[in-house]
Amino acid sequence: MNMQTGGFHAIDIQKWSRAETYNYFTETVNPITYSINVTLDVTILRNTLKKKGIKFFPAYLYLVTGAIGKQQEFRMAFKDDVLGYWDALTPFYPIFHEDDKTITFLWTEYDEGFKIFYKRYMEDIEHHRNNHGIMSSKGTPPPNNYIISCVPWFTFNSLSMNLQGAKKYYAPIFEAGGFAKNNGMTKMPLSITANHATVDGYQIKVFLDELQRTMNHPDEWV
């Protein structure tokens, strides 16, 4: 299923159960963004992908995008000054250039089928990996994009993203770190930055449960 931009659905704030919380964090107090840092067990996922010759990073993009797709709160946005939510989000991620140590942003259309998404990712990398500059030759991402990245050179205990002017920016931001191996297990840190107007701790808990579940059961989607 191609869900590049998907549909956008307006929220009837008068009937929205989260309206009071939303109004509090947008009108009563200044916009509040926060980062939560967790450690994920990627042992099964990494071993399975290695055996099948599949790259880890696109699998990470796929699983995070799929998990946030199950919760409306992560897909909130303003479109034409209307508050609503997207059917799905598009991962917007950096490519690292070894020659000059710079990054270029690229995006790949999400698909519920991993094989389709993986093929799109590999094609995007092949066509645009040699482009330098902040934006790839593929151009600007669709409006339903969200930022997701990884710093593979080191692991971390905590990472905080600081968003300026985040009053109407509700897309989550994800930053993974390098793998840490211990006693036969492989762990990966993940920092999640969210806007408190749309996402509380409970939504992050549900997201993390789903993400860890899919990481533990690659046989369901690979």
Side-chain angles (χ1 to χ4, degrees), residues 32-36 74 161 163 169-173 192-200 204:
I32 296 177
T33 59
Y34 62 95
S35 294
I36 290 179
F74 281 103
M161 303 290 289
L163 299 181
Y169 185 83
Y170 301 130
I173 299 175
I192 306 165
T193 301
N195 191 315
H196 214 333
T198 54
V199 176
D200 296 326
I204 291 180

Side-chain angles (χ1 to χ4, degrees), residues 16-104:
W16 189 29
S17 61
R18 193 180 172 81
E20 187 173 345
T21 302
Y22 174 82
N23 288 332
Y24 178 79
F25 283 111
T26 56
E27 298 176 9
T28 307
V29 297
N30 290 328
I32 296 177
T33 59
Y34 62 95
S35 294
I36 290 179
N37 294 270
V38 299
T39 301
L40 297 168
D41 183 350
V42 296
T43 309
I44 296 173
L45 175 62
R46 193 157 181 253
N47 289 342
T48 300
L49 296 179
K50 272 187 169 183
K51 290 178 182 178
K52 294 181 177 292
I54 297 173
K55 294 182 178 297
F56 185 91
F57 187 70
Y60 158 64
L61 299 182
Y62 172 79
L63 293 179
V64 170
T65 306
I68 60 179
K70 294 183 179 296
Q71 291 188 90
Q72 176 181 305
E73 292 85 358
F74 281 103
R75 295 178 278 112
M76 299 294 295
F78 260 93
K79 182 176 182 292
D80 301 326
D81 291 325
V82 174
L83 178 66
Y85 61 94
W86 298 103
D87 284 330
L89 297 189
T90 297
F92 184 43
Y93 54 90
I95 302 171
F96 181 73
H97 301 293
E98 288 288 351
D99 55 357
D100 62 2
K101 308 302 188 263
T102 62
I103 62 170
T104 295

Side-chain angles (χ1 to χ4, degrees), residues 1-9 64-66 68-69 72 74-80 84-93 106-111 117 120 138 140-148 169-174:
M1 182 184 297
N2 186 341
M3 301 181 76
Q4 174 183 346
T5 57
F8 181 82
H9 307 275
V64 170
T65 306
I68 60 179
Q72 176 181 305
F74 281 103
R75 295 178 278 112
M76 299 294 295
F78 260 93
K79 182 176 182 292
D80 301 326
Y85 61 94
W86 298 103
D87 284 330
L89 297 189
T90 297
F92 184 43
Y93 54 90
L106 180 59
W107 51 276
T108 297
E109 299 96 327
Y110 174 69
D111 192 280
F117 177 78
R120 288 176 180 170
K138 189 174 181 178
T140 57
N144 66 327
N145 77 86
Y146 78 99
I147 298 171
I148 179 169
Y169 185 83
Y170 301 130
I173 299 175
F174 298 88

Side-chain angles (χ1 to χ4, degrees), residues 174-193:
F174 298 88
E175 186 81 50
F179 300 129
K181 295 182 179 180
N182 187 32
N183 295 325
M185 299 181 68
T186 303
K187 300 292 186 70
M188 181 185 79
L190 180 67
S191 173
I192 306 165
T193 301

